[in-house]
């Protein structure tokens, strides 16, 4: 049974995963802050993506490009002319809506009146600001709406300095900004969000083969991190859904509480972007193949995922409720690599001897794991809190520990407990992580 939306939003707030931004001022709509647990979970999601896309591969390197780029980047990429959604305004209640997302295009979802919409107008989603102290059109710049263009404009820099030969990829994680008309569903669609994108450059005749490769590799990444197979699917875009740059796109979709929706887009961007930037900048961005003596624009396969959206999906997917000995137990069954706290260290009481040993145990493992020491409340309540935030192991220091130098390790999923020597704890955990 999938978890309902409000349950996970409430858990996020209650346990410190995600807070409404600017809450003390009444909150800023669609902006969120990641709390102590949320920031760890989000970092772990990004870390796992980087690990699989960059560190484990010889053919992909990383990049961190600027958020504010030359406005010419967005002229060339087509975002200034085409990155827009159709917007209608209700003449009765003055609310604005995305026409393509309305359930009934003739009825306002806010006031319920029919046939009150204005003609649809294209609304550009890019945030504008000004560079420097003068607000003129010449100083206008944009906050990037995707990380991808920072990669395309650095294609030649990266190729030259890394000496990579086709096929190769450039990966980037970072913030993007879109003035979404209808943000919502918690952190699913926000105006400021984080993306994890990789542009994979290949010979044009190999693009289909790499497209299929990345579809499968990306789907598998979610499964390897514990997402349930029935929560995921690949869906091909219809021709009228394709972005202006794309020859073919599949979405990795997740079964959210409101239905199937996009987690990641995998697009065949052909040579659209390199060609466009070569034209706009006057620089030759073709690739020279020394073996065949050819010069050509590589084609690009792009797996583009949302870090914040994916983090939300992992939270939803991990949530479970069960009854144990007549008591309800909430467990976040997060993969051990994603869990914000990996090991909780819990003294049975606040007695100084026990707290001192607790510190010693924590120091033994803190370099290798995200740990938390929790000394408050009964041990049962502390176990329940750790289950609810997804901590895979709890290490309990009890009165016997002082004599036998052993601790009890409790497994989140099975609730089985092992009694092991403190010295053996690093090895015991290493085997399990
Ligand atoms: N470079 C291609 C590109 O940006 P996209 O499908 O528009 O493609 C990629 O975005 C991913 O970024 C989406 O699948 C989604 O996970 C995430 N994303 C896009 N807009 C978002 C928003 N407003 N809020 C949160 N995540 C968003």
């Amino acid at each position: 049974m999938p978890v309902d939306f409000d349950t996970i939003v409430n858990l996020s707030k209650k346990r410190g995963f995600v807070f409404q931004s600017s809450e003390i001022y009444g909150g800023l709509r669609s902006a969120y802050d990641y709390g102590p647990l949320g920031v760890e979970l989000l970092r772990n999601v990004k870390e796992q993506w980087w690990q699989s896309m960059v560190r484990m591969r010889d053919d992909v390197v990383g990049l961190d490009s600027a958020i504010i780029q030359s406005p010419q980047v967005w002229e060339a990429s087509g975002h200034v002319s085409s990155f827009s959604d159709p917007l209608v305004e209700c003449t009765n209640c003055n609310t604005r809506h995305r026409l393509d997302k309305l359930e009934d295009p003739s009825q306002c979802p806010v006031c319920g009146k029919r046939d009150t919409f204005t003609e649809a107008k294209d609304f550009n989603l890019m945030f504008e600001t000004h560079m420097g102290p003068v607000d003129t059109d010449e100083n206008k710049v944009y906050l990037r709406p995707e990380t991808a263009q920072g990669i395309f404009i650095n294609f030649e820099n990266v190729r030259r300095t890394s000496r990579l030969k086709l096929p190769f990829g450039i990966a980037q994680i970072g913030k993007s900004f879109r003035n979404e008309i209808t943000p919502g569903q918690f952190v699913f669609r926000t105006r400021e969000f984080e993306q994890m994108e990789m542009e994979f450059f290949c010979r044009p005749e190999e693009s289909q083969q790499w497209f299929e490769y990345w579809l499968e590799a990306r789907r598998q990444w979610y499964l390897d991190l514990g997402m349930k197979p029935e929560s995921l699917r690949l869906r091909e875009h219809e021709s009228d859904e394709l972005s202006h740059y794309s020859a073919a796109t599949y979405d990795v979709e997740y079964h959210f509480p409101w239905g199937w929706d996009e987690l990641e887009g995998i697009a065949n961007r052909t040579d659209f972007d390199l060609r466009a930037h070569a034209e706009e900048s006057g620089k030759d961005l073709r690739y020279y193949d020394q073996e065949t003596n050819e010069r050509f624009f590589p084609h690009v396969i792009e797996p583009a995922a949302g870090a914040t959206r994916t983090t939300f999906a992992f939270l939803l997917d991990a949530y479970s409720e069960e009854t144990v000995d007549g008591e309800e137990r909430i467990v976040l069954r997060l993969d051990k690599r994603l869990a914000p706290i990996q090991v909780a260290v819990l003294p049975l009481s606040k007695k100084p001897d026990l707290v001192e040993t607790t510190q010693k145990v924590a120091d033994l493992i803190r370099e290798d794991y995200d740990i938390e020491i929790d000394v408050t409340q009964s041990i049962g309540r502390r176990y329940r809190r750790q289950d609810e935030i997804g901590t895979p192991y709890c290490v309990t220091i009890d009165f016997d520990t002082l004599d036998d130098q052993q601790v009890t390790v409790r497994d989140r999923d099975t609730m089985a407990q092992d009694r092991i020597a403190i010295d053996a704890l690093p090895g015991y955990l290493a085997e399990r992580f």
Side-chain angles (χ1 to χ4, degrees):
M1 195 40 198
V3 57
D4 73 86
F5 182 71
D6 289 343
T7 304
I8 214 74
V9 172
N10 291 339
L11 177 91
S12 296
K13 289 180 182 164
K14 178 173 130 202
R15 292 304 187 191
F17 282 94
V18 179
F19 306 121
Q20 178 73 56
S21 178
S22 316
E23 202 176 86
I24 60 167
Y25 293 105
L28 180 67
R29 198 173 150 235
S30 110
Y32 292 94
D33 300 335
Y34 288 75
L37 296 179
V39 70
E40 294 292 346
L41 178 59
L42 178 60
R43 280 171 72 110
N44 291 344
V45 168
K46 291 186 286 186
E47 184 61 26
Q48 285 306 314
W49 187 88
W50 197 259
Q51 175 77 1
S52 114
M53 300 297 270
V54 182
R55 277 201 214 104
M56 296 300 287
R57 304 187 64 100
D58 296 324
D59 56 358
V60 180
V61 290
L63 180 78
D64 190 358
S65 70
I67 285 174
I68 299 177
Q69 301 163 17
S70 162
Q72 280 179 282
V73 172
W74 309 108
E75 297 278 353
S77 67
H79 283 82
V80 171
S81 58
S82 313
F83 194 56
S84 50
D85 284 332
L87 183 71
V88 289
E89 186 167 340
C90 172
T91 50
N92 182 54
C93 67
N94 297 328
T95 53
R96 292 176 170 190
H97 306 275
R98 231 176 105 171
L99 182 63
D100 56 334
K101 293 280 174 192
L102 285 173
E103 246 169 52
D104 178 349
S106 66
Q107 185 177 26
C108 175
V110 174
C111 67
K113 284 259 160 89
R114 287 194 172 276
D115 303 320
T116 50
F117 287 138
T118 56
E119 285 281 299
K121 267 199 218 139
D122 278 338
F123 173 76
N124 193 291
L125 300 181
M126 279 195 296
F127 273 97
E128 292 176 11
T129 184
H130 293 90
M131 195 107 161
V134 193
D135 287 9
T136 61
D137 265 2
E138 288 79 66
N139 297 348
K140 187 158 85 181
V141 287
Y142 303 98
L143 303 188
R144 68 178 175 203
E146 61 171 17
T147 59
Q149 295 304 324
I151 296 178
F152 293 122
I153 59 174
N154 278 292
F155 169 72
E156 186 49 24
N157 283 337
V158 174
R159 187 207 60 76
R160 193 182 62 248
T161 50
S162 62
R163 295 170 299 136
L164 284 165
K165 293 203 165 36
L166 289 185
F168 70 87
I170 306 174
Q172 167 155 233
I173 298 178
K175 290 237 173 175
S176 292
F177 302 82
R178 296 183 189 176
N179 202 359
E180 299 280 4
I181 299 168
T182 44
Q185 284 124 330
F186 199 40
V187 296
F188 177 81
R189 183 175 289 106
T190 48
R191 295 188 170 119
E192 173 181 347
F193 55 97
E194 272 192 277
Q195 289 187 306
M196 312 184 284
E197 299 197 286
M198 196 270 288
E199 309 301 322
F200 196 77
F201 301 89
C202 63
R203 296 186 65 90
E205 66 275 17
E206 291 177 1
S207 64
Q208 183 57 27
Q209 164 201 332
W210 282 111
F211 188 49
E212 285 162 25
Y213 169 88
W214 282 111
L215 284 183
E216 189 41 37
R218 290 303 306 146
R219 195 180 73 91
Q220 195 57 43
W221 182 78
Y222 296 92
L223 297 176
D224 289 346
L225 284 171
M227 215 170 252
K228 299 183 195 89
E230 63 272 23
S231 311
L232 269 190
R233 73 174 188 191
L234 283 174
R235 184 185 68 81
E236 187 173 11
H237 277 209
E238 305 287 338
S239 57
D240 62 350
E241 276 182 276
L242 289 174
S243 310
H244 59 275
Y245 50 74
S246 173
T249 298
Y250 275 80
D251 282 346
V252 180
E253 292 192 330
Y254 181 76
H255 199 248
F256 285 94
W258 58 89
W260 291 100
D261 221 329
E262 175 185 344
L263 269 189
E264 166 163 356
I266 299 158
N268 180 348
R269 290 184 82 125
T270 67
D271 57 2
F272 177 91
D273 303 272
L274 285 182
R275 214 177 255 283
H277 287 303
E279 218 163 87
E280 176 84 17
S281 66
K283 302 281 184 311
D284 187 356
L285 299 181
R286 287 174 302 167
Y287 176 84
Y288 176 61
D289 188 326
Q290 285 174 336
E291 276 165 33
T292 60
N293 203 21
E294 288 169 284
R295 212 174 268 284
F296 61 92
F297 285 108
H299 278 216
V300 172
I301 305 303
E302 174 198 66
T308 37
R309 192 178 284 187
T310 298
T311 298
F312 180 37
F314 275 119
L315 259 183
L316 286 163
D317 212 61
Y319 184 91
S320 71
E321 284 174 12
E322 58 191 35
T323 309
V324 179
D325 298 333
E327 268 195 50
E328 190 203 23
R329 182 170 95 111
I330 294 170
V331 195
L332 274 190
R333 294 187 191 277
L334 287 167
D335 183 277
K336 290 170 190 156
R337 293 163 291 180
L338 297 182
I341 306 290
Q342 293 173 309
V343 184
V345 189
L346 316 172
L348 203 55
S349 89
K350 286 183 188 161
K351 231 178 120 236
D353 288 7
L354 286 194
V355 172
E356 195 184 313
T357 309
T358 300
Q359 274 302 343
K360 263 191 356 218
V361 171
D363 289 344
L364 194 63
I365 57 173
R366 76 164 75 242
E367 215 169 287
D368 296 318
Y369 304 99
D370 287 314
I371 66 152
E372 178 178 275
I373 298 174
D374 186 0
V375 295
T376 52
Q377 299 183 316
S378 75
I379 193 69
R381 289 182 82 135
R382 279 182 278 167
Y383 280 155
R384 275 201 294 284
R385 175 175 178 275
Q386 295 299 336
D387 286 344
E388 210 173 305
I389 64 174
T391 307
Y393 294 102
C394 290
V395 175
T396 306
I397 288 89
D398 56 28
F399 296 104
D400 290 340
T401 306
L402 301 178
D403 298 328
D404 65 8
Q405 295 298 302
Q406 292 190 350
V407 289
T408 303
V409 185
R410 174 185 179 271
D411 181 301
R412 172 195 72 195
D413 295 333
T414 62
M415 295 194 292
Q417 304 199 355
D418 283 336
R419 188 87 185 153
I420 58 159
I422 292 175
D423 290 348
L425 185 63
Y428 177 94
L429 291 172
E431 244 174 57
R432 282 155 182 80
F433 272 93

